[in-house]
Amino acid sequence: MEVYIEVNNLSFYRGERAIYEDVTLQIPKGKITAVMGPSGVGKTTLLRLIGGQVLPDAGTVIVDGVNIGEASRRQLFEARRKMGMLFQSGALFSDMSVFENVALPLREFTPFDATMIRDIVLMKLQSVGLRGAADLMPSELSGGMARRAALARAIALDPDLVMYDEPFAGQDPISKGVLVDLIKQLNSAANITSVLVSHDVEESLSIADHVCLLSGGKVILAGTPEEVRASTDERVVQFLQGQSDGPVPFHYPAMSYQEQLLERE
Amino acid sequence: MTLINYIVTSLLGFIKGLGNSGIFLFQSLFRLPVRPKEAMRLYVRQVYSVGVMSLIIIVVSGAFIGMVLALQGFSILTSYGSETAVGQLLALTLLRELAPVVTGLLFAGRAGSALTAEIGLMKTTEQLSSYEMMGIDPLRRVIAPRLLAGITCMPILSIIFAAVGIWAGMLVSVEWLGVYSGSFWGSMQQAVQFDRDVINGLIKALVFAVAVVWIAVYQGYECQPTSEGIGRATTRTVVLSSLAILALDFLLTAAMFGDF
């Protein structure tokens, strides 16, 4: 297995709180890796660590041979040009139309003329079903449409790595199905390495080649979807079946409920 | 002990903030977008946003301040029988002090707060992160055009403020109060020196422009990405810019006109 991203002994803290402690994981090249886990476990943070938007407190994140933590600003921006990221909110540029949003990376980093850029933008928008919305402004799009437009922008340069932060959240069943197919097609047709952060167990497991399950700042399971489904680990079973009772607490740590209710000033 | 701790921590925080913002300014000023045509397009857009859109408040304020100055100057100078010097008073007051200072304060309220809020909102909605992840430096694409537009627009706005103020003062003193127009313009021409008054006024406006725009974009870029954070950053921009303008004005005035 050829490795595209290597995370070694990673520790990351937000204030006093440890998000990751001594985590090691590998993301294979040309495959779809689903990173799953309960809310607040640091899935989006992992994408930001890979993109170099936050730096590890200890350990290394190596993306395609580049040590992100030690890269200069210039090296970092060069490495990012090979990455595409779909943000949870879409993060479309609000002062540009959908067309201009998708065209921006092409204008910045390719020598293509206006006609070529127009054709590529229309192709990317067609693939996410938004060719007809090319002239709309982001404020005129629904949440799901904005996410799809952002996906078209993320894949505009045909990057080597695409990171999807909750791509299925807020999508209707039709769009969800189209997105699942699109991620799969992108991956197989262009040999893109995909990292998918999602809560949607069924959709993620249906397209992932490799799964990393995070809990309590650690990787509790890394393997194929079949291995995840067959796992008897209580934490994995609880997550996959959505049970509130189990080793992963639903409640944020607090004093006893009864004591707090009866407590008087 | 706690008080000393608080003072030392605050002082260190202030020095750290100053250092960070200095690096931020240096990195932004020399990083316009790579493609010249795109850089020009972004710059012109910001000139419209921070400069042209500030024109109304600058022109209206300049007119009223010029008129009030003329009225006050006339009433005081009349008691000495030297009401013809109202032109000189108007020009010197506006060129040396009021045009750069009031333009700076208005610019901080109108354009500075808008810049902070806009950049802060871009941060909150992950647009700045999006630029970064695309491999486009937001300092180059978002900050540099705004900085340069603000720095070039404010001195021009200050000149417009002074011109409108003098014109409005002329209307009040010559057309309304009956000061002889030859004396009005003559005394002004005699008293105003281009390098000492006009250039020094422009230098002041330029220094205030750097201070206001620097504070505004830095506060937006470094704000907490929440609605409360944007509100606080916007307030800080107006407060810090106003204080910076007044403090810098004293220092510049002492350096420029302090050779008694």
Side-chain angles (χ1 to χ4, degrees):
Chain A
M1 178 181 78
E2 201 178 342
V3 176
Y4 193 80
I5 300 170
E6 234 183 305
V7 177
N8 297 317
N9 309 107
L10 171 79
S11 294
F12 181 76
Y13 298 87
R14 241 182 241 296
E16 297 292 305
R17 195 163 79 94
I19 305 294
Y20 290 114
E21 258 184 329
D22 202 24
V23 166
T24 296
L25 64 91
Q26 295 178 329
I27 290 175
K29 189 173 182 173
K31 306 274 181 202
I32 301 175
T33 301
V35 178
M36 302 171 82
S39 293
V41 78
K43 301 184 295 293
T44 303
T45 307
L46 180 66
L47 297 188
R48 290 184 181 278
L49 283 158
I50 294 170
Q53 290 198 298
V54 289
L55 297 177
D57 291 306
T60 55
V61 178
I62 297 168
V63 181
D64 197 19
V66 178
N67 186 341
I68 295 295
E70 287 177 5
S72 66
R73 195 177 168 86
R74 195 178 177 167
Q75 286 170 322
L76 198 56
F77 276 96
E78 270 168 23
R80 282 174 184 163
R81 281 171 207 164
K82 292 189 226 160
M83 302 177 191
M85 175 138 171
L86 174 65
F87 285 87
Q88 208 165 342
S89 61
L92 290 172
F93 303 126
S94 50
D95 57 342
M96 298 176 204
S97 67
V98 169
F99 182 95
E100 291 299 322
N101 263 281
V102 183
L104 180 69
L106 294 162
R107 293 207 174 110
E108 287 288 328
F109 303 119
T110 67
F112 301 151
D113 61 15
T115 319
M116 176 80 98
I117 288 176
R118 176 184 168 275
D119 291 348
I120 297 174
V121 171
L122 291 179
M123 280 191 270
K124 300 294 175 189
L125 286 174
Q126 172 72 11
S127 66
V128 296
L130 289 178
R131 187 168 44 83
D135 294 328
L136 296 183
M137 295 302 281
S139 58
E140 297 172 286
L141 303 178
S142 70
M145 284 165 82
R147 201 89 50 84
R148 281 189 280 151
L151 176 57
R153 186 181 65 185
I155 58 172
L157 286 174
D158 296 328
D160 296 341
L161 167 70
V162 183
M163 295 182 276
Y164 305 88
D165 192 0
E166 299 287 358
F168 309 122
Q171 299 286 350
D172 60 68
I174 300 170
S175 308
K176 211 184 262 190
V178 171
L179 276 173
V180 167
D181 288 342
L182 186 64
I183 294 170
K184 216 171 177 175
Q185 278 168 21
L186 274 171
N187 199 74
S188 56
N191 199 31
I192 291 174
T193 304
S194 307
V195 182
L196 177 74
V197 157
S198 179
H199 283 117
D200 294 76
V201 175
E202 279 316 311
E203 280 79 10
S204 303
L205 292 185
S206 70
I207 52 169
D209 302 301
H210 184 71
V211 180
C212 280
L213 250 164
L214 303 173
S215 182
K218 303 266 183 204
V219 178
I220 54 169
L221 182 73
T224 62
E226 292 70 38
E227 286 170 332
V228 172
R229 282 203 174 98
S231 171
T232 51
D233 186 318
E234 283 183 336
R235 293 167 298 180
V236 178
V237 173
Q238 186 194 359
F239 180 75
L240 293 185
Q241 296 182 359
Q243 299 164 342
S244 60
D245 287 329
V248 180
F250 169 67
H251 291 283
Y252 196 80
M255 67 189 288
S256 144
Y257 188 31
Q258 190 180 6
E259 267 175 40
Q260 192 162 18
L261 285 177
L262 296 173
E263 190 183 45
R264 292 286 178 268
E265 288 287 324
Chain B
M1 193 60 196
T2 321
L3 182 68
I4 295 170
N5 256 351
Y6 175 75
I7 292 169
V8 172
T9 314
S10 304
L11 195 67
L12 287 176
F14 175 75
I15 293 168
K16 190 181 165 197
L18 205 63
N20 283 342
S21 62
I23 294 167
F24 173 83
L25 178 69
F26 182 77
Q27 286 182 333
S28 309
L29 270 181
F30 300 101
R31 283 193 183 172
L32 262 183
V34 184
R35 291 174 300 134
K37 204 174 157 191
E38 181 68 0
M40 186 48 81
R41 196 184 66 79
L42 292 171
Y43 170 74
V44 169
R45 198 175 189 179
Q46 291 310 317
V47 166
Y48 176 78
S49 173
V50 300
V52 177
M53 296 301 281
S54 304
L55 261 178
I56 290 179
I57 192 171
I58 295 295
V59 168
V60 173
S61 308
F64 279 113
I65 285 180
M67 289 194 285
V68 169
L69 262 180
L71 275 175
Q72 291 281 12
F74 183 83
S75 73
I76 294 166
L77 291 169
T78 304
S79 56
Y80 297 102
S82 42
E83 62 273 16
T84 49
V86 73
Q88 174 184 350
L89 173 114
L90 255 177
L92 290 180
T93 318
L94 281 168
L95 288 170
R96 286 184 181 185
E97 284 300 328
L98 287 181
V101 172
V102 178
T103 304
L105 294 174
L106 293 172
F107 190 76
R110 160 65 186 78
S113 57
L115 281 175
T116 304
E118 187 190 12
I119 296 168
L121 202 59
M122 287 178 87
K123 185 174 182 178
T124 309
T125 53
E126 295 184 305
Q127 292 180 50
L128 294 182
S129 297
S130 202
Y131 275 122
E132 282 182 358
M133 284 309 298
M134 217 180 261
I136 299 172
D137 190 345
L139 293 184
R140 224 180 249 275
R141 170 106 197 167
V142 178
I143 305 298
R146 284 165 174 78
L147 259 177
L148 289 180
I151 290 169
T152 43
C153 282
M154 218 200 89
I156 297 170
L157 289 172
S158 174
I159 295 172
I160 294 170
F161 185 100
V164 171
I166 291 170
W167 174 77
M170 183 275 292
L171 283 184
V172 167
S173 43
V174 175
E175 302 296 333
W176 181 23
L177 300 171
V179 174
Y180 176 53
S181 75
S183 311
F184 179 87
W185 293 115
S187 68
M188 193 186 297
Q189 204 172 4
Q190 207 171 22
V192 174
Q193 293 173 25
F194 185 74
D195 52 349
R196 187 175 162 86
D197 303 314
V198 180
I199 297 293
N200 277 342
L202 272 176
I203 292 171
K204 275 188 177 181
L206 186 69
V207 173
F208 299 161
V210 173
V212 171
V213 190
W214 178 15
I215 290 169
V217 293
Y218 182 71
Q219 290 295 336
Y221 198 76
E222 290 295 321
C223 78
Q224 286 287 323
T226 59
S227 46
E228 195 192 7
I230 297 174
R232 276 189 192 165
T234 311
T235 308
R236 264 203 307 272
T237 290
V238 177
V239 173
L240 289 177
S241 300
S242 306
L243 292 176
I245 287 169
L246 297 173
L248 285 168
D249 185 45
F250 173 73
L251 294 175
L252 288 170
T253 306
M256 290 167 174
F257 305 103
D259 51 341
F260 307 111

